[in-house]
Amino acid sequence: MSTKLKIAVLFAAVLGMVGCVNTPPKPDNPYYAPVEATPQPNLQPVTGSIYNSATAMDLYGDGRAHRVGDIITVALQENTQSTKSSSTQIDKSNSNEVGMGTVFGQDLSAFGNPLSASLGSESAFDGQGDSDMSNSLSGNITVTVHKVLPNGNLLVRGEKWLTLNQGDEYIRVSGLVRPQDIDEANTVASTKLADARIAYSGTGSVQDANVMGWLSRFFIGPLWPF
């Protein structure tokens, strides 16, 4: 392989690894954008009355979110902890020996050397791994109802961005909520969200300082053969 071709292959590999670097998220993601409440058609005939069923409010309602566009507060109460340990040890040894043969009572030899052989092998593997992880997230985020399912469950999602002096921090939440899990303060615990997707991270210089470089990740990744 010519030198120019080697350089081209190396350059392409570097570009491929650089492309694998995660792009920092940006605010105003359309997926998490709030939705407007669907206007209700006015089915009441014009009679001169000031009452309109399309814009009427239930005076005896509890104020809980139940329509598309309503807002609801999610109380983040996430605590997870996991511990894992594994150990493997394998030993194997083999030994084979072929004695000197004889023919008519005479030892076999070749060029004055006895025809005997011995073969031995030994291998060993010892591996051990430990993992201990714990996470905790608390706080509040207010999201909007994006869809009301036929069974009454609410699809909610939203995001919150905090601009700090050294970057931004954001929280994104999405999931399904049962109306009966919403309390009188129009709040639901994050542990009550079904199919929950909760993300908390940030951007900026502080976040960049906590991210391992792409070349370092390559040397500890599965593609590194050693």
Side-chain angles (χ1 to χ4, degrees):
M1 183 181 294
S2 63
T3 304
K4 292 183 178 180
L5 184 57
K6 291 181 180 179
I7 295 176
V9 172
L10 179 61
F11 183 71
V14 171
L15 288 180
M17 288 184 291
V18 172
C20 295
V21 178
N22 294 329
T23 304
K26 297 181 180 180
D28 301 327
N29 188 324
Y31 180 77
Y32 294 96
V35 295
E36 296 182 359
T38 304
Q40 299 293 330
N42 185 10
L43 302 179
Q44 182 179 357
V46 179
T47 60
S49 174
I50 62 175
Y51 174 79
N52 189 336
S53 60
T55 58
M57 297 181 62
D58 186 2
L59 298 179
Y60 301 97
D62 53 15
R64 292 181 174 92
H66 64 280
R67 299 172 301 186
V68 174
D70 288 352
I71 63 174
I72 180 175
T73 299
V74 178
L76 301 175
Q77 302 172 359
E78 298 297 322
N79 290 281
T80 59
Q81 185 174 2
S82 64
T83 302
K84 182 178 181 181
S85 178
S86 63
S87 178
T88 303
Q89 185 174 5
I90 299 175
D91 293 309
K92 181 179 180 180
S93 60
N94 294 313
S95 179
N96 298 291
E97 184 174 352
V98 179
M100 183 182 301
T102 59
V103 176
F104 302 111
Q106 300 294 325
D107 295 335
L108 293 177
S109 62
F111 304 104
N113 298 317
L115 291 178
S116 61
S118 62
L119 177 64
S121 66
E122 184 177 352
S123 62
F125 172 79
D126 189 3
Q128 184 175 0
D130 295 292
S131 175
D132 189 1
M133 181 178 64
S134 62
N135 297 282
S136 177
L137 179 63
S138 61
N140 294 295
I141 177 175
T142 300
V143 298
T144 56
V145 178
H146 281 241
K147 186 178 181 180
V148 180
L149 301 183
N151 60 357
N153 291 342
L154 309 176
L155 173 61
V156 300
R157 58 175 176 254
E159 64 179 356
K160 176 194 289 187
W161 281 79
L162 304 175
T163 301
L164 307 175
N165 54 355
Q166 294 295 330
D168 298 332
E169 292 186 0
Y170 69 90
I171 303 175
R172 286 174 172 170
V173 174
S174 67
L176 295 173
V177 178
R178 295 192 311 168
Q180 53 266 43
D181 291 331
I182 306 174
D183 62 17
E184 63 278 359
N186 197 35
T187 301
V188 63
S190 62
T191 54
K192 299 291 186 179
L193 291 179
D195 297 329
R197 300 293 186 269
I198 302 175
Y200 172 64
S201 188
T203 62
S205 57
V206 177
Q207 175 68 17
D208 295 340
N210 286 277
V211 177
M212 184 181 299
W214 61 267
L215 187 58
S216 299
R217 292 201 303 270
F218 171 76
F219 284 116
I220 66 172
L223 297 179
W224 182 245
F226 302 104

